[in-house]
Amino acid sequence: MAACDDPLDVHFIGNATVLLRHGDLTLLTDPNFLHRGERAHLGYGLVSRRLTEPALDVAELPPLDAVVLSHLHGDHWDRRARRGLDRSVPVVTTPHAARHLRTWQGYGRAGGLRTWESCTFTRGRSQVRITALPGRHALRPVLSRLLPPVMGSMLEFGPRGGPVALRVYLSGDTLLYDGLDEIARRFPGAELAVLHLGGTRLPGGFVVTMDGVQGAELARRLGYRRVLPVHHDDYSVFRSPLDDFLAEAGRLGLRDRIVHCARGQHARVEPRGRVS
């Protein structure tokens, strides 16, 4: 039986791609392995050039128990991931993305969750329950129809068959809106929030991910013990640098909650929110 105080190893690969290890389980989020100078396809002819190198290539990944995919955009699921990942790996994502992955890309174990639905994975002595959470890539109805549906996720790790020991919130590419407040009511006291930032700006001036100010406000509303900012400097469509978030988080009194984990680095999160 896994001990309730098993730590979580967080390995930040780049953009929104994070390798998570807890006990016997290994999960990957939003696999993006394009190299510097390569272009991610965002749909409707839109592309964005990658400005950074990922810390790992897809071939260097360990065996995975599952992939958690927030939505089907080229900076979250790219051609290198599509070709290099094991097609038998389960992919937990939106119903829209799951249909596409099963039908067109051969990922037969891609499964879609609607908001507040859950699924569970076990390996050896460890267990994780994944719950789909609210997220909106755009707040204007016209723009929402042009962008793929997005989900946030709550990952609840613990011993197999036992209580939840550690919670991790993944925001996905959402903007700040009141519907996110329900997350903290249903899942209070998570150890870590991984926030997708960047203030992604599309042609026409449309912003479709949180900028630094929105991200800091979401961190304040959630009240989670630690916050890891990601998705802020990897692509040319990002307009809000990390410093925007750090400045606003400092103004809100959240500086001590920030996890500073650069590409390629690891952070160790303890069940009670301690980080080393």
Side-chain angles (χ1 to χ4, degrees):
M1 185 71 72
C4 287
D5 59 354
D6 274 356
L8 175 75
D9 180 75
V10 179
H11 185 189
F12 180 40
I13 296 173
N15 201 41
T17 309
V18 182
L19 193 63
L20 301 170
R21 289 185 171 100
H22 185 267
D24 297 321
L25 284 164
T26 303
L27 305 184
L28 183 73
T29 72
D30 291 299
N32 179 211
F33 295 95
L34 295 178
H35 291 284
R36 183 187 297 116
E38 293 184 323
R39 296 179 183 273
H41 296 278
L42 306 179
Y44 301 98
L46 298 176
V47 297
S48 182
R49 182 170 54 88
R50 183 150 194 177
L51 306 175
T52 63
E53 283 289 328
L56 290 179
D57 284 324
V58 65
E60 297 176 297
L61 291 170
L64 302 172
D65 293 294
V67 172
V68 183
L69 175 63
S70 62
H71 66 303
L72 204 59
H73 254 163
D75 61 329
H76 294 256
W77 179 275
D78 62 40
R79 53 194 175 274
R80 290 184 178 272
R82 181 180 72 242
R83 297 166 185 162
L85 289 172
D86 182 349
R87 280 179 167 75
S88 69
V89 69
V91 182
V92 181
T93 186
T94 65
H96 165 269
R99 286 192 299 271
H100 184 95
L101 294 177
R102 289 195 306 267
T103 303
W104 301 107
Q105 298 190 21
Y107 283 85
R109 298 183 68 190
L113 295 179
R114 300 188 183 280
T115 303
W116 308 120
E117 288 183 340
S118 302
C119 64
T120 300
F121 294 91
T122 58
R123 167 78 63 182
R125 62 199 180 107
S126 303
Q127 175 176 295
V128 62
R129 182 167 64 240
I130 303 171
T131 302
L133 302 179
R136 290 186 184 176
H137 219 334
L139 302 183
R140 297 185 182 187
V142 172
L143 190 58
S144 293
R145 289 193 288 270
L146 300 177
L147 295 171
V150 64
M151 73 177 194
S153 303
M154 184 64 69
L155 313 183
E156 296 180 288
F157 294 96
R160 185 171 188 155
V164 173
L166 188 150
R167 285 175 171 158
V168 177
Y169 167 59
L170 309 172
S171 74
D173 276 14
T174 188
L175 293 169
L176 180 67
Y177 70 105
D178 289 343
L180 301 182
D181 294 342
E182 182 66 17
I183 295 170
R185 287 193 284 269
R186 296 197 186 205
F187 298 96
E191 278 69 27
L192 179 67
V194 180
L195 301 185
H196 295 196
L197 305 175
T200 305
R201 188 177 297 272
L202 299 181
F206 297 109
V207 177
V208 295
T209 64
M210 292 184 291
D211 60 18
V213 172
Q214 289 187 45
E217 172 60 16
L218 178 58
R220 186 195 67 79
R221 292 188 190 185
L222 293 171
Y224 291 161
R225 294 183 178 96
R226 292 290 183 265
V227 179
L228 173 62
V230 301
H231 194 274
H232 50 71
D233 65 352
D234 295 272
Y235 281 92
S236 56
V237 289
F238 296 165
R239 293 291 185 268
S240 180
L242 178 60
D243 285 348
D244 289 355
F245 172 75
L246 296 177
E248 184 65 10
R251 192 185 71 80
L252 294 176
L254 306 176
R255 185 176 291 109
D256 292 343
R257 297 187 190 179
I258 308 304
V259 177
H260 298 277
C261 187
R263 274 178 298 276
Q265 291 185 343
H266 294 252
R268 178 184 170 100
V269 180
E270 304 288 346
R272 286 160 294 282
R274 297 191 305 275
V275 175
S276 59

